[in-house]
Amino acid sequence: MSFTLTRALPRTITNTLRLRATATTVRTMSSNPSNTSNPAVATNPDIKNNPDISNNPMKSETEGRGPQFGLAERQPTDEEKKVMEDVLNLYQLNPVSQAYQHYDQKAVFSDPIGIAQNLEEIKAQFNAMPKIFSASYTRALKFLDNPEIKAPSFQVSQSQEYHLKVAGIVKTTDSQITFIRDPATNLILRHEEEWRGEKNQVSDDGFIGKLHEMRKKFTAQTVNAFVDSTPYDQQSDKPQSKQ
């Protein structure tokens, strides 16, 4: 028998997924822009009938918004822009194969909540998000000129507004996101998301860092055990949790 994620996952894991929306800013929407041309409408069953779909972050309306974490803004190459447009589907509740195609099979995703250690675990993290959020808007996106990040890798500043299904809570997360890519294939090897630009704690940070890393890896593995990692556009019916 199939069941929804909130029933299938232990409460602690459901709460963990909700924490992905935690940020420094909480605000109520003053308007609800509609973008029915967004591909998420067609591919994501959870938001198919919801006109409150994410806006296009590449539009000029995002200029001047969002933090830069002490770095200058730069113009992306056409290739970087295409990769980012595809990957943003994951943040906009539309986890499709077009986005996942940019990741190496051994890619790592890390944020303050979890560390996914391969592509299947990464898929599970993002496939779970539509079960927790009713909508997700990219409110600002800037490519950062960081001399420490060498091409084909790149770094962006992103402001993401999450609408939780519970009590209509709205939270905005400002993140510094780094995509480390293989120079030979241009595939993403590491996707590092740092909330408020603060470094994620790992084992290199001492005993506490080791504990955080162990917890985050366990979280990602547990989510992967319950959530179907099949991209939405390859699922024949409404996404189901694993049985």
Side-chain angles (χ1 to χ4, degrees), residues 74-224:
R74 68 170 178 85
Q75 291 299 312
T77 66
D78 289 343
E79 191 268 345
E80 289 173 333
K81 184 176 179 180
K82 177 63 169 64
V83 171
M84 198 64 223
E85 286 177 338
D86 288 347
V87 170
L88 279 176
N89 278 291
L90 303 180
Y91 286 93
Q92 297 171 357
L93 312 185
N94 188 37
V96 293
S97 53
Q98 182 176 339
Y100 291 130
Q101 70 178 347
H102 296 288
Y103 289 82
D104 187 90
Q105 289 295 322
K106 297 181 180 179
V108 173
F109 169 76
S110 176
D111 72 359
I113 298 300
I115 299 177
Q117 300 178 84
N118 55 61
L119 181 53
E120 287 304 302
E121 289 187 3
I122 292 174
K123 290 177 179 178
Q125 310 308 301
F126 285 103
N127 281 20
M129 287 176 60
K131 294 297 183 183
I132 304 301
F133 306 109
S134 61
S136 177
Y137 297 85
T138 304
R139 291 309 188 192
L141 181 74
K142 297 180 180 181
F143 281 78
L144 301 178
D145 188 7
N146 188 339
E148 296 183 1
I149 307 300
K150 306 297 183 182
S153 302
F154 62 89
Q155 190 174 73
V156 301
S157 165
Q158 179 177 318
S159 295
Q160 196 72 22
E161 181 180 284
Y162 297 95
H163 292 235
L164 278 78
K165 290 184 176 182
V166 177
I169 297 173
V170 178
K171 293 181 180 288
T172 298
T173 302
D174 293 329
S175 300
Q176 185 173 13
I177 304 177
T178 306
F179 297 94
I180 302 300
R181 300 199 291 169
D182 186 338
T185 64
N186 278 357
L187 294 177
I188 297 169
L189 298 175
R190 187 172 186 88
H191 176 167
E192 186 84 17
E193 181 174 352
E194 299 170 317
W195 295 351
R196 301 178 297 278
E198 298 174 0
K199 182 180 179 295
N200 294 323
Q201 288 190 311
V202 293
S203 58
D204 291 342
D205 298 319
F207 178 71
I208 298 300
K210 289 181 180 179
L211 291 179
H212 279 292
E213 182 170 316
M214 290 174 58
R215 170 186 58 79
K216 290 189 286 187
K217 287 180 178 179
F218 175 77
T219 297
Q221 291 167 357
T222 304
V223 172
N224 184 52

Side-chain angles (χ1 to χ4, degrees), residues 222-241:
T222 304
V223 172
N224 184 52
F226 284 92
V227 179
D228 187 352
S229 61
T230 307
Y232 270 25
D233 55 316
Q234 295 179 9
Q235 295 184 16
S236 59
D237 201 352
K238 185 175 182 179
Q240 306 288 343
S241 59

